[in-house]
Amino acid sequence: MKILIVNAGSSSLKYQLVDMNDESVIAKGQVERINIEGSNLKQKGADGKVAVEYKEPIKDHVVACQLMMKALMESGVIKSMDEIGAVGHRVLHGGEEFTASCVITEEVKAAIRKYIPLGPLHNPANLMGIEACEAVMPTTPQVAVFDTAFHQTMPPKAFMYGVPYEFYKEHGVRRYGFHGTSHRYVSKRVCEFLNIDPVGKKIIICHLGNGSSLSAVKDGKCVDTSMGLTPLEGLLMGTRSGSCDPAVVQFIANNAHMDVNQVLDLMNKKSGLLGIAGEGTSDMRDIDALADGGHERAALARDMLYYQIQKLIGSYAAAMGGVDVIAFTAGIGENGPELREGVMKNMEWLGAKIDVEKNNFKGKEAVISTPDSKVTVCVIPTNEEIMIARDTLELVSK
Ligand code: ADP
């Protein structure tokens, strides 16, 4: 069966077509600038070369979806739409209702809509993607895979905030966590890779990209994660501040004459590596180059990131009563040997010792700890798309 994976944003739609016989990616494309001047579609084939490119007005997600179908057919990867067995959608927020992926029904769509206040930027866009696919492929089953679902196994002591309980009950104020599909994939894959049983194992996943989060996984289940009610909590990220004293919001608002929304925008989009280094870049490669060249604020940004990751690893080890495996993933985790070394070189107290030579690579599955290290440290490239495709296949095959 061929499965289409869709990740819809407010003005974009990314897609992949996967052949589930061998899980190979047959085509990968994206529509950008939907309803904005300069809208276009670009699709690459299995060889990674651009196979189709359209530059034309794309007024909404339905037109984007129609164009996606046209591109898939014109490039010859499918002859007709009927070859697509099912569509798997990445959906940001499933609240407490979705602990796993599910087939999309009217009720599921209503629930995704209900959680718009928790995912105000993503859930409306995800819904547009779902409804556009329904309009273009009315008989093809659709599946929703939630970014929050994997973290639903956290116990209340990990997900509750210390605000009055009513705010949890009435408004859903709690930690949800994100990047769940990646944390789920990597926590499973690392056990396959190491040939170990997840049961009885304590694993820390470090998903480090533009957005970053750590999770603590015990017996294959998430017991804690660093992102919270929104993706702003936790680590310093590309443009996000990560955790701060909540009173910082009021303090900046009062002292810099901004309102709460402006401060939140500042903390989400202008902070983190970008805001600390102050050189107009949030890209870790630039931060590394600047820091190595003697740029003090870039070096500070990098030090802050390493330090925060170390503190979180320590706290998750404490929370789980130890750690057996630490896995690095996502853009920086997979491709940044400097970061892995910088973080792990101070973790020998934990029984984690890395081999600096073995660590010197990018983008592949590997163990980077020494044979005598008590904690196995690995790099596992994430693959959220394959997780979405597998969930979709499983649900539509039932
Ligand atoms: P997103 O959260 O948008 O999915 P990614 O997982 O693609 O982000 O990660 C993007 C980050 O990965 C950027 O900070 C980028 O600099 C970093 N990255 C990519 N390649 C390298 C590299 N070779 N060395 C260090 N960082 C890298």
Side-chain angles (χ1 to χ4, degrees), residues 2-4 16-19 24-27 72 77-78 84:
K2 291 190 180 94
I3 286 185
L4 183 67
Q16 277 192 24
L17 188 68
V18 180
D19 184 345
S24 59
V25 178
I26 325 170
L72 289 170
V77 292
I78 52 169
I84 298 173

Side-chain angles (χ1 to χ4, degrees), residues 90 179 207-212 238 273 282-286 288 329-338 362 382 384:
R90 181 174 183 181
H179 296 138
H207 176 111
L208 308 166
N210 279 321
S212 298
L273 297 172
S282 60
D283 193 299
M284 196 64 208
R285 285 165 290 200
D286 299 336
D288 274 336
T329 196
I332 309 172
E334 292 164 25
N335 302 307
E338 303 85 358
K362 295 177 188 213
T382 193
E384 292 163 273

